[in-house]
Amino acid sequence: MRVVYLADNLFDAHLVKHALEEAAIPAFVFGESLLGGMGELPLFGVLRVCVPDTALPQAEDVVKALGLDSRGDGPISEGDEEGLGILPA
């Protein structure tokens, strides 16, 4: 499974999921059950829309067509060492 969209809220997550399903791409929303604990969990990166590895290129096109590109401008992106305060050696 690959993350195709990091959602800010449940509405966006399901909008993307349904758009992917309309394009015959199986999609799953992960993190919904964690929303009740938001006071104790990090605010970003909780809701993720995932698709099978083989469907990622097509799924990215669907998300781009929605105008909801996955957040790359959040406080810390995957592999963002500078955002973690870690400077390269």
Side-chain angles (χ1 to χ4, degrees), residues 23-63:
I25 301 170
F28 306 91
V29 176
F30 292 101
E32 279 185 88
S33 60
L34 299 174
L35 291 179
M38 286 303 282
E40 299 176 20
L41 297 173
L43 182 60
F44 300 100
V46 174
L47 289 172
R48 302 171 316 278
V49 180
C50 298
V51 297
D53 293 347
T54 57
L56 184 63
Q58 183 185 4
E60 288 174 337
D61 291 340
V62 171
V63 173

Side-chain angles (χ1 to χ4, degrees), residues 6-7 9-12 14 18 24 30 37 39 49 51 64-65 69 71:
L6 293 174
N9 57 64
L10 197 54
F11 297 110
D12 285 350
H14 280 279
H18 292 295
F30 292 101
V49 180
V51 297
K64 283 181 185 178
D69 292 333
R71 293 180 303 146

